[in-house]
Amino acid sequence: MTETLFLESSDVDGLATPAEFVDAVRDAYRQRGEGAPAEPRTKLGNADPPGFLTTYAAILPDTGAMGGYMYTAGFGAEDAWFTTPIFDPESGEPLALLDGASMNPFKTGATGAVAADELAREDARSAAIIGSGAQARGQLRALATVRDLETVWVYSPTKEHREAFAGEMDRRLDGSVAAVASAAAAVEGADIVVTATNASEPVFDGDALEEGTHVTAMGQYNPEKRELDAATIERAKYVPDLRDRAFQDAGSFLHALEEGVVDEDHVHAELGDVVAGNAPGRESDEEITVFDSGGTGIETVAGAYLLYEKATEAGLGETIDFAPGSQALTGE
């Protein structure tokens, strides 16, 4: 038998800071750029009841972990469950099983922050956040660890939601955070734009982006849906989390490809290649950059292992036993 640590959501809530997630995720993408294996998500849909089962994985040899997410959303309960197993890449033994829901905004936000650190201007001080849910919160909190944000404008369609979000973040962050009445007002003059929505159509006009803007799009991983229009993709240096995903479920890129404004060579590099120094990030103050984030096992394994280490140090969680195949795979 192998003892494996089981961590409930209450064990890992607040266990790591946004900055710690950013550091862990940055190193994970560096490993990806140096050849660590990772694959885009597999998403299996169900019509009745409507829902989907998703999984993705990565191996991070320097971190000392491999694994990923398996989660469901929809179905009869109309909810979501996130399970996160991680394994030892040397022995293959299961290290931990986490209830992975609460870390989701933080590991995803950390990915956006790593990309912004590589692709946004060094002097970026203002941001636009399109969206006001948990993912928008995670993106902004992580972004504030890599840039000294002085002004943040927030837009989402429901006035009460955007105002509540702005009030909360204004109290939490050093800079000023305010709600605005339109996406156009949020994007105008912003050095960094983050979209964290469930929108099916573009949420702002790409022609309105000023030179030097960085955009992180993280709300969609569906070939039929997009947060960014073709103009944004056409004008930008385009960096996805995984190259293969750009052609699988990155709706913004696929729509631009279909409209003929870009071709397959428009994919500049994966984020890991930029972090590892294999490809340049921002090369001028005038350049527009886009990071297209759909979620990968890279940040998931990095975030889960960070929580596993901190939980182990704090004596949190409980152990469960896993029987190895040599003992249990008998057919008896």
Side-chain angles (χ1 to χ4, degrees):
M1 293 289 185
T2 295
E3 287 192 346
T4 301
L5 188 64
F6 175 64
L7 295 170
E8 299 179 4
S9 181
S10 60
D11 294 321
V12 299
D13 283 350
L15 196 56
T17 66
E20 288 173 322
F21 275 103
V22 170
D23 288 342
V25 170
R26 178 184 287 111
D27 187 64
Y29 271 94
R30 187 269 306 167
Q31 292 174 63
R32 168 60 184 172
E34 295 175 354
E39 293 290 335
R41 76 180 65 234
T42 297
K43 182 178 178 181
L44 304 177
N46 193 66
D48 187 19
F52 61 84
L53 170 68
T54 290
T55 182
Y56 46 70
I59 300 175
L60 302 178
D62 293 350
T63 298
M66 58 185 180
Y69 255 167
M70 178 172 280
Y71 66 91
T72 67
F75 297 97
E78 297 184 353
D79 214 316
W81 282 264
F82 297 79
T83 60
T84 310
I86 54 172
F87 302 82
D88 187 315
E90 296 291 335
S91 68
E93 296 177 347
L95 295 173
L97 178 64
L98 290 77
D99 179 342
S102 64
M103 80 164 179
N104 191 298
F106 295 98
K107 59 95 176 176
T108 307
T111 309
V114 170
D117 205 22
E118 296 288 343
L119 298 172
R121 299 195 322 271
E122 288 290 340
D123 65 351
R125 294 293 180 267
S126 62
I129 307 295
I130 314 299
S132 58
Q135 296 292 355
R137 185 177 292 110
Q139 290 290 325
L140 180 53
R141 291 187 64 188
L143 180 61
T145 71
V146 299
R147 289 295 184 274
D148 294 325
L149 298 177
E150 297 175 354
T151 307
V152 179
W153 295 281
V154 179
Y155 172 75
S156 66
T158 304
K159 182 179 180 182
E160 292 79 6
H161 292 173
R162 65 183 183 249
E163 290 183 347
F165 179 95
E168 175 194 345
M169 290 296 106
D170 189 59
R171 292 187 294 272
R172 187 184 290 271
L173 303 181
D174 291 336
S176 171
V177 184
V180 293
S182 69
V187 169
E188 184 179 1
D191 300 322
I192 299 172
V193 176
V194 178
T195 61
T197 76
N198 60 5
S200 298
E201 296 298 328
V203 295
F204 66 85
D205 181 359
D207 288 327
L209 284 176
E210 296 184 8
E211 290 186 350
T213 305
H214 168 69
V215 179
T216 288
M218 59 74 51
Q220 286 297 359
Y221 47 90
N222 186 318
E224 304 302 321
K225 299 179 179 181
R226 54 177 175 163
E227 293 181 302
L228 308 182
D229 61 10
T232 300
I233 302 299
E234 181 182 14
R235 297 181 65 196
K237 173 180 282 183
Y238 178 79
V239 177
D241 42 19
L242 291 173
R243 180 181 294 270
D244 288 348
R245 194 190 68 78
F247 301 97
Q248 175 178 302
D249 62 17
S252 296
F253 179 76
L254 291 172
H255 276 79
L257 197 64
E258 183 178 344
E259 292 178 29
V261 300
V262 300
D263 58 23
E264 294 185 358
D265 292 336
H266 194 69
V267 178
H268 170 67
E270 289 188 2
L271 177 59
D273 287 321
V274 176
V275 174
N278 300 329
R282 172 171 291 275
E283 296 180 90
S284 75
D285 286 346
E286 293 74 37
E287 195 171 39
I288 294 174
T289 55
V290 163
F291 173 58
D292 196 336
S293 172
T296 77
I298 301 166
E299 61 264 21
T300 305
V301 174
Y305 190 76
L306 170 66
L307 295 174
Y308 163 71
E309 283 194 308
K310 294 180 79 69
T312 299
E313 292 173 1
L316 299 172
E318 59 181 290
T319 57
I320 54 179
D321 289 331
F322 272 83
S326 59
Q327 293 180 17
L329 193 62
T330 65
E332 295 179 357

